[in-house]
Structure formats: C-alpha cells, structure tokens
Amino acid sequence: MNETTVVNGLSVDVEDWFQVGAFENTIARSDWDALELRVGDNVARILDLFDEAGVKATFFTLGWVAERNPAAMRAIVDRGHELASHGYDHTRVFMLSRDEFAADLMRARAILEDAGGQAITGYRAPSFSIDSRNAWAHDVLAEHGYAYSSSVAPVVHDHYGWPEAPRFAFAPVSGSDLVEIPVTTAMLRGKRLAAGGGGFFRVLPYGFSRWAIRQVNREGHPAVFYFHPWEIDPGQPRVAGAPLRSRLRHYTNLSKMAGKLSGLLGDFEWGRMDALAAREQPRSLDWAA
Ligand SMILES: [Zn+2]
C-alpha cells in the first residue's frame, strides 16, 4: 500500500435470512425461534473469504443473533475482526422512543460483550434508521460512550435515507467525540446514488460499485461498504408470502455474491470500521445542529 491508497471500511450486518426489513410484514418476530438458523454457517464462510483476501472487517451484529451463536461471535473476535452492535432485534430506531432506544442499545451491548469478550464501541442502526426524524439517537449513542456510528444513508431511498446529511464523516453531537460515518454514496450528474452495498451491489454489475468506490477514493475519502450473511447463501429458505418486489430484491444473484465479493476485496484496500472512525474523527465535519 502506498500513501495515496485509501483504506475503506468493510462491514457485515449480521442478521439471519428471516430478519430483514423486506420480510417484516410476512414473518412475525414471535416465529423467529421456530425458523432454521443459518447465520452461523454463513459467518464462518465469510471469515474464510476474509482470511483468503487478507482483510479485517467489522461485524455489526444483532443481540438476538449473538445469544444464539456465541461460537460465531468468538470466531469473529479471535480472527482479528471488530464485533459491533446492530441493536437487539432489528427494530428500526425511528420506531422507538428515546428510552426504548437506550434500552435496546444496552441489551444488545451486554450480550455482545459477553459473547465476544471485548468492549463494543461501534453501532449501526437497523436499515440505516437514523434520519431527520430521530437525530436525537446520536445524542443517546454519545451518552452511552460509543466512539462511532455508521447509521445514516445520506440518500433518497424507498425504505430509508437522510438526503440532507453529509456524505462523509461528521460530528453529529457538539461537545462529543462521536463520529457518524455514513454509508457510501456516489455522485452522478449532481445526484447522490446509494453505492455502499446491499441490494445495489448484488443486483447491479460489479463495475458500478468499482466505479463508485474509485470516485470516492479519488476525492480522498474512504468508502463504507456493507453486506449481509444471507446474501452469500443461495440455499436459504424462500419466503413465499412476501411482496414480489421484496422477493426480487432479496433473491437476485445470491449465487454470484461470493465471487463478486472476492473481486471487491482484491481491487481495494479494506479495514475495520473502528480504525476508520479513529482516522476520520479528527477531520469530521462539525454538523451538530
Ligand atoms: Zn440489518
């Protein structure tokens, strides 16, 4: 690596195939315990993929998943990755009151610290659910001593988004060191495009993601990329009752994902989000309202 190479943030949002936002109206939380757990095996495959590529990453993990997969949590930490919080059960933050959010944070953190044996300092909101409606969530994260959050999608999207938020690292709470590192967007003809992973990475040709990350890196900024364990699992059960649009988005190109990821990991430099946050904090834009 030379000094002009930007180290990007690599992250995995650790939830199981039945816990995604697309199926929340089809699969009740009360049914979760009756469903097949697949996330542990998928995390094991991801750890091998990361070892082969020689990269370290951050695993934003649900407390619910950590309770049921303690061995996978140990493996994440033992193999040099960061374990961080994705909340307890994927309830989006704008559905919670301030006190409920604080309770969710504490519950998930206790489970994750127990399972991984390390302090949890990073947080990603389920479905990037911190936006203009609930900017107070950053205050709560600061009160609880988090070093960073990667919970904002600064873009227009049908399920989430805070299009007025900065595209790169910012300080959301004045007087606090908390840094928010939004998921990556690219600019095309003056418009912001979601380019940090998820369905966009899986559905669109890999060349789009490569173009977007190169654009961001050329501006001197790190990209923040994310994917989910279920995205590398073509054998997952199919959810028949979900809306067609959700099913199309969820099941497209699952079998191509591992190969695409290998390309991505080889084409750019990647690292853990806590390290990226420590580098970005001093130059984060002061955006506290
Ligand atoms: Zn999630």
Tab-separated table of all heavy atoms in Angstrom, residues 145-187:
chain	number	residue	atom	x	y	z
A	145	GLY	N	-21.385	6.413	25.298
A	145	GLY	CA	-19.950	6.260	25.112
A	145	GLY	C	-19.518	5.588	23.823
A	145	GLY	O	-18.376	5.117	23.731
A	146	TYR	N	-20.394	5.531	22.826
A	146	TYR	CA	-19.963	4.947	21.547
A	146	TYR	C	-18.945	5.859	20.872
A	146	TYR	O	-19.055	7.084	20.945
A	146	TYR	CB	-21.174	4.727	20.623
A	146	TYR	CG	-21.917	3.469	21.001
A	146	TYR	CD1	-22.829	3.477	22.051
A	146	TYR	CD2	-21.658	2.270	20.362
A	146	TYR	CE1	-23.469	2.320	22.454
A	146	TYR	CE2	-22.292	1.099	20.751
A	146	TYR	CZ	-23.199	1.130	21.795
A	146	TYR	OH	-23.814	-0.021	22.201
A	147	ALA	N	-17.950	5.260	20.221
A	147	ALA	CA	-16.931	6.029	19.508
A	147	ALA	C	-17.451	6.465	18.140
A	147	ALA	O	-17.126	7.534	17.646
A	147	ALA	CB	-15.660	5.207	19.338
A	148	TYR	N	-18.255	5.577	17.520
A	148	TYR	CA	-18.740	5.916	16.189
A	148	TYR	C	-20.073	5.215	15.904
A	148	TYR	O	-20.453	4.240	16.559
A	148	TYR	CB	-17.703	5.537	15.116
A	148	TYR	CG	-17.639	4.047	14.819
A	148	TYR	CD1	-18.400	3.490	13.797
A	148	TYR	CD2	-16.845	3.203	15.584
A	148	TYR	CE1	-18.362	2.129	13.545
A	148	TYR	CE2	-16.795	1.849	15.337
A	148	TYR	CZ	-17.555	1.312	14.313
A	148	TYR	OH	-17.532	-0.032	14.073
A	149	SER	N	-20.740	5.760	14.904
A	149	SER	CA	-21.976	5.195	14.388
A	149	SER	C	-21.827	5.177	12.867
A	149	SER	O	-21.142	6.018	12.288
A	149	SER	CB	-23.146	6.092	14.809
A	149	SER	OG	-24.274	5.916	13.985
A	150	SER	N	-22.420	4.163	12.231
A	150	SER	CA	-22.462	4.140	10.765
A	150	SER	C	-23.895	3.809	10.392
A	150	SER	O	-24.211	2.723	9.925
A	150	SER	CB	-21.473	3.106	10.209
A	150	SER	OG	-21.524	3.098	8.793
A	151	SER	N	-24.789	4.771	10.665
A	151	SER	CA	-26.226	4.527	10.703
A	151	SER	C	-27.030	5.396	9.773
A	151	SER	O	-28.254	5.363	9.802
A	151	SER	CB	-26.743	4.757	12.136
A	151	SER	OG	-26.053	3.956	13.065
A	152	VAL	N	-26.333	6.213	8.976
A	152	VAL	CA	-27.027	7.168	8.107
A	152	VAL	C	-26.763	6.818	6.643
A	152	VAL	O	-25.621	6.594	6.242
A	152	VAL	CB	-26.548	8.613	8.405
A	152	VAL	CG1	-27.043	9.574	7.339
A	152	VAL	CG2	-27.008	9.041	9.789
A	153	ALA	N	-27.851	6.778	5.868
A	153	ALA	CA	-27.737	6.663	4.409
A	153	ALA	C	-28.112	8.035	3.845
A	153	ALA	O	-29.292	8.392	3.821
A	153	ALA	CB	-28.676	5.588	3.882
A	154	PRO	N	-27.126	8.825	3.421
A	154	PRO	CA	-27.413	10.214	3.017
A	154	PRO	C	-27.940	10.299	1.587
A	154	PRO	O	-27.341	10.916	0.711
A	154	PRO	CB	-26.049	10.894	3.170
A	154	PRO	CG	-25.061	9.802	2.907
A	154	PRO	CD	-25.694	8.508	3.353
A	155	VAL	N	-29.116	9.690	1.368
A	155	VAL	CA	-29.620	9.497	0.011
A	155	VAL	C	-31.137	9.321	0.063
A	155	VAL	O	-31.696	8.975	1.099
A	155	VAL	CB	-28.922	8.246	-0.598
A	155	VAL	CG1	-29.364	6.970	0.084
A	155	VAL	CG2	-29.095	8.164	-2.099
A	156	VAL	N	-31.801	9.553	-1.064
A	156	VAL	CA	-33.234	9.266	-1.174
A	156	VAL	C	-33.395	7.787	-1.513
A	156	VAL	O	-32.784	7.288	-2.450
A	156	VAL	CB	-33.883	10.111	-2.296
A	156	VAL	CG1	-35.357	9.756	-2.452
A	156	VAL	CG2	-33.714	11.595	-2.016
A	157	HIS	N	-34.207	7.062	-0.748
A	157	HIS	CA	-34.403	5.626	-0.961
A	157	HIS	C	-35.819	5.306	-0.491
A	157	HIS	O	-36.365	6.006	0.348
A	157	HIS	CB	-33.354	4.856	-0.143
A	157	HIS	CG	-33.390	3.359	-0.324
A	157	HIS	ND1	-34.277	2.554	0.338
A	157	HIS	CD2	-32.629	2.544	-1.081
A	157	HIS	CE1	-34.067	1.288	-0.020
A	157	HIS	NE2	-33.073	1.263	-0.880
A	158	ASP	N	-36.395	4.208	-0.994
A	158	ASP	CA	-37.794	3.958	-0.625
A	158	ASP	C	-37.974	3.498	0.817
A	158	ASP	O	-39.035	3.670	1.391
A	158	ASP	CB	-38.484	2.996	-1.614
A	158	ASP	CG	-37.763	1.666	-1.749
A	158	ASP	OD1	-36.648	1.530	-1.214
A	158	ASP	OD2	-38.322	0.768	-2.389
A	159	HIS	N	-36.953	2.901	1.426
A	159	HIS	CA	-37.104	2.396	2.791
A	159	HIS	C	-36.403	3.229	3.855
A	159	HIS	O	-36.662	3.072	5.033
A	159	HIS	CB	-36.562	0.963	2.900
A	159	HIS	CG	-37.382	-0.031	2.153
A	159	HIS	ND1	-36.910	-1.265	1.771
A	159	HIS	CD2	-38.650	0.035	1.700
A	159	HIS	CE1	-37.848	-1.909	1.124
A	159	HIS	NE2	-38.910	-1.141	1.055
A	160	TYR	N	-35.446	4.044	3.447
A	160	TYR	CA	-34.658	4.780	4.434
A	160	TYR	C	-34.007	5.960	3.758
A	160	TYR	O	-34.122	6.147	2.546
A	160	TYR	CB	-33.608	3.876	5.087
A	160	TYR	CG	-32.715	3.137	4.117
A	160	TYR	CD1	-31.717	3.800	3.414
A	160	TYR	CD2	-32.889	1.775	3.902
A	160	TYR	CE1	-30.897	3.131	2.531
A	160	TYR	CE2	-32.068	1.089	3.011
A	160	TYR	CZ	-31.078	1.765	2.331
A	160	TYR	OH	-30.285	1.093	1.465
A	161	GLY	N	-33.269	6.733	4.535
A	161	GLY	CA	-32.477	7.800	3.937
A	161	GLY	C	-32.634	9.136	4.646
A	161	GLY	O	-33.690	9.451	5.202
A	162	TRP	N	-31.528	9.886	4.668
A	162	TRP	CA	-31.473	11.239	5.213
A	162	TRP	C	-30.703	12.052	4.187
A	162	TRP	O	-29.501	12.281	4.312
A	162	TRP	CB	-30.772	11.211	6.572
A	162	TRP	CG	-30.790	12.492	7.333
A	162	TRP	CD1	-31.280	13.701	6.934
A	162	TRP	CD2	-30.277	12.674	8.658
A	162	TRP	NE1	-31.113	14.624	7.925
A	162	TRP	CE2	-30.503	14.032	9.004
A	162	TRP	CE3	-29.641	11.847	9.586
A	162	TRP	CZ2	-30.112	14.553	10.236
A	162	TRP	CZ3	-29.260	12.369	10.806
A	162	TRP	CH2	-29.498	13.706	11.129
A	163	PRO	N	-31.393	12.476	3.115
A	163	PRO	CA	-30.691	13.048	1.961
A	163	PRO	C	-29.947	14.341	2.257
A	163	PRO	O	-29.040	14.694	1.513
A	163	PRO	CB	-31.801	13.268	0.923
A	163	PRO	CG	-33.080	12.955	1.573
A	163	PRO	CD	-32.829	12.317	2.899
A	164	GLU	N	-30.313	15.048	3.356
A	164	GLU	CA	-29.631	16.317	3.671
A	164	GLU	C	-28.352	16.102	4.469
A	164	GLU	O	-27.581	17.043	4.686
A	164	GLU	CB	-30.554	17.243	4.482
A	164	GLU	CG	-31.881	17.578	3.806
A	164	GLU	CD	-32.922	16.476	4.005
A	164	GLU	OE1	-32.765	15.657	4.938
A	164	GLU	OE2	-33.876	16.414	3.209
A	165	ALA	N	-28.122	14.889	4.959
A	165	ALA	CA	-26.943	14.641	5.799
A	165	ALA	C	-25.673	14.677	4.952
A	165	ALA	O	-25.717	14.430	3.748
A	165	ALA	CB	-27.078	13.291	6.495
A	166	PRO	N	-24.539	14.989	5.590
A	166	PRO	CA	-23.264	14.982	4.848
A	166	PRO	C	-22.968	13.586	4.283
A	166	PRO	O	-23.389	12.585	4.853
A	166	PRO	CB	-22.219	15.351	5.919
A	166	PRO	CG	-22.990	16.024	7.003
A	166	PRO	CD	-24.348	15.392	6.995
A	167	ARG	N	-22.215	13.539	3.205
A	167	ARG	CA	-21.866	12.250	2.593
A	167	ARG	C	-20.708	11.571	3.319
A	167	ARG	O	-20.526	10.366	3.187
A	167	ARG	CB	-21.470	12.440	1.129
A	167	ARG	CG	-22.608	12.881	0.237
A	167	ARG	CD	-22.113	13.131	-1.178
A	167	ARG	NE	-21.524	11.923	-1.747
A	167	ARG	CZ	-20.471	11.928	-2.568
A	167	ARG	NH1	-19.882	13.060	-2.900
A	167	ARG	NH2	-19.997	10.799	-3.045
A	168	PHE	N	-19.902	12.378	4.026
A	168	PHE	CA	-18.709	11.809	4.668
A	168	PHE	C	-18.740	12.097	6.163
A	168	PHE	O	-19.656	12.746	6.652
A	168	PHE	CB	-17.452	12.349	3.989
A	168	PHE	CG	-17.409	12.016	2.516
A	168	PHE	CD1	-17.523	13.006	1.549
A	168	PHE	CD2	-17.316	10.693	2.096
A	168	PHE	CE1	-17.518	12.689	0.195
A	168	PHE	CE2	-17.314	10.370	0.746
A	168	PHE	CZ	-17.418	11.370	-0.209
A	169	ALA	N	-17.726	11.588	6.876
A	169	ALA	CA	-17.722	11.608	8.342
A	169	ALA	C	-18.126	12.964	8.909
A	169	ALA	O	-17.639	14.008	8.468
A	169	ALA	CB	-16.340	11.221	8.847
A	170	PHE	N	-19.024	12.939	9.892
A	170	PHE	CA	-19.402	14.178	10.559
A	170	PHE	C	-19.612	13.953	12.051
A	170	PHE	O	-19.794	12.822	12.505
A	170	PHE	CB	-20.631	14.831	9.907
A	170	PHE	CG	-21.924	14.058	9.960
A	170	PHE	CD1	-22.855	14.280	10.976
A	170	PHE	CD2	-22.232	13.129	8.974
A	170	PHE	CE1	-24.080	13.592	11.002
A	170	PHE	CE2	-23.443	12.435	8.993
A	170	PHE	CZ	-24.356	12.671	10.006
A	171	ALA	N	-19.531	15.087	12.783
A	171	ALA	CA	-19.735	15.068	14.233
A	171	ALA	C	-21.176	15.486	14.488
A	171	ALA	O	-21.517	16.649	14.356
A	171	ALA	CB	-18.759	16.022	14.910
A	172	PRO	N	-22.056	14.542	14.855
A	172	PRO	CA	-23.475	14.870	14.976
A	172	PRO	C	-23.859	15.517	16.301
A	172	PRO	O	-24.958	16.060	16.414
A	172	PRO	CB	-24.161	13.505	14.829
A	172	PRO	CG	-23.156	12.517	15.322
A	172	PRO	CD	-21.796	13.102	15.038
A	173	VAL	N	-22.982	15.456	17.313
A	173	VAL	CA	-23.312	15.963	18.651
A	173	VAL	C	-22.206	16.906	19.102
A	173	VAL	O	-21.063	16.485	19.253
A	173	VAL	CB	-23.430	14.801	19.669
A	173	VAL	CG1	-23.808	15.335	21.043
A	173	VAL	CG2	-24.425	13.749	19.186
A	174	SER	N	-22.537	18.174	19.306
A	174	SER	CA	-21.456	19.085	19.678
A	174	SER	C	-20.960	18.766	21.081
A	174	SER	O	-21.714	18.352	21.951
A	174	SER	CB	-21.871	20.548	19.542
A	174	SER	OG	-23.014	20.809	20.249
A	175	GLY	N	-19.657	18.924	21.247
A	175	GLY	CA	-19.034	18.624	22.533
A	175	GLY	C	-18.759	17.143	22.745
A	175	GLY	O	-18.296	16.741	23.807
A	176	SER	N	-19.068	16.314	21.737
A	176	SER	CA	-18.829	14.871	21.850
A	176	SER	C	-17.864	14.439	20.754
A	176	SER	O	-17.813	15.038	19.687
A	176	SER	CB	-20.159	14.128	21.711
A	176	SER	OG	-19.923	12.771	21.358
A	177	ASP	N	-17.103	13.371	21.032
A	177	ASP	CA	-16.194	12.814	20.020
A	177	ASP	C	-16.903	11.847	19.081
A	177	ASP	O	-16.280	11.315	18.166
A	177	ASP	CB	-15.038	12.055	20.696
A	177	ASP	CG	-14.054	13.010	21.359
A	177	ASP	OD1	-14.053	14.201	20.973
A	177	ASP	OD2	-13.310	12.567	22.248
A	178	LEU	N	-18.183	11.577	19.328
A	178	LEU	CA	-18.906	10.627	18.467
A	178	LEU	C	-18.805	11.054	17.005
A	178	LEU	O	-19.046	12.214	16.665
A	178	LEU	CB	-20.387	10.569	18.866
A	178	LEU	CG	-21.253	9.637	18.000
A	178	LEU	CD1	-20.972	8.170	18.342
A	178	LEU	CD2	-22.741	9.941	18.179
A	179	VAL	N	-18.425	10.104	16.148
A	179	VAL	CA	-18.365	10.397	14.726
A	179	VAL	C	-19.366	9.505	13.990
A	179	VAL	O	-19.513	8.321	14.316
A	179	VAL	CB	-16.921	10.237	14.175
A	179	VAL	CG1	-16.363	8.853	14.415
A	179	VAL	CG2	-16.846	10.591	12.712
A	180	GLU	N	-20.106	10.106	13.080
A	180	GLU	CA	-21.029	9.349	12.223
A	180	GLU	C	-20.349	9.169	10.870
A	180	GLU	O	-19.890	10.144	10.261
A	180	GLU	CB	-22.353	10.106	12.057
A	180	GLU	CG	-23.267	9.575	10.953
A	180	GLU	CD	-23.767	8.137	11.175
A	180	GLU	OE1	-24.138	7.807	12.316
A	180	GLU	OE2	-23.766	7.362	10.193
A	181	ILE	N	-20.296	7.935	10.418
A	181	ILE	CA	-19.672	7.637	9.122
A	181	ILE	C	-20.748	7.064	8.214
A	181	ILE	O	-21.075	5.876	8.286
A	181	ILE	CB	-18.521	6.636	9.283
A	181	ILE	CG1	-17.545	7.152	10.350
A	181	ILE	CG2	-17.799	6.440	7.959
A	181	ILE	CD1	-16.516	6.126	10.745
A	182	PRO	N	-21.345	7.898	7.365
A	182	PRO	CA	-22.463	7.438	6.533
A	182	PRO	C	-22.026	6.361	5.544
A	182	PRO	O	-20.861	6.289	5.153
A	182	PRO	CB	-22.890	8.704	5.781
A	182	PRO	CG	-22.328	9.841	6.561
A	182	PRO	CD	-21.057	9.321	7.161
A	183	VAL	N	-22.984	5.539	5.152
A	183	VAL	CA	-22.715	4.544	4.108
A	183	VAL	C	-22.469	5.285	2.787
A	183	VAL	O	-22.958	6.403	2.576
A	183	VAL	CB	-23.891	3.541	4.024
A	183	VAL	CG1	-25.155	4.211	3.523
A	183	VAL	CG2	-23.513	2.337	3.174
A	184	THR	N	-21.683	4.673	1.919
A	184	THR	CA	-21.184	5.379	0.734
A	184	THR	C	-22.251	5.710	-0.312
A	184	THR	O	-23.121	4.890	-0.618
A	184	THR	CB	-20.067	4.542	0.080
A	184	THR	OG1	-18.930	4.606	0.933
A	184	THR	CG2	-19.680	5.064	-1.299
A	185	THR	N	-22.130	6.924	-0.819
A	185	THR	CA	-22.905	7.359	-1.977
A	185	THR	C	-21.916	7.825	-3.045
A	185	THR	O	-20.801	8.222	-2.717
A	185	THR	CB	-23.826	8.548	-1.627
A	185	THR	OG1	-23.025	9.582	-1.040
A	185	THR	CG2	-24.924	8.137	-0.667
A	186	ALA	N	-22.345	7.751	-4.290
A	186	ALA	CA	-21.542	8.303	-5.390
A	186	ALA	C	-22.351	9.425	-6.037
A	186	ALA	O	-23.567	9.496	-5.866
A	186	ALA	CB	-21.223	7.218	-6.408
A	187	MET	N	-21.666	10.303	-6.748
A	187	MET	CA	-22.348	11.397	-7.432
A	187	MET	C	-22.409	11.123	-8.931
A	187	MET	O	-21.402	10.771	-9.556
A	187	MET	CB	-21.603	12.719	-7.204
A	187	MET	CG	-21.555	13.197	-5.764
A	187	MET	SD	-23.180	13.458	-5.020
A	187	MET	CE	-23.742	14.877	-5.978
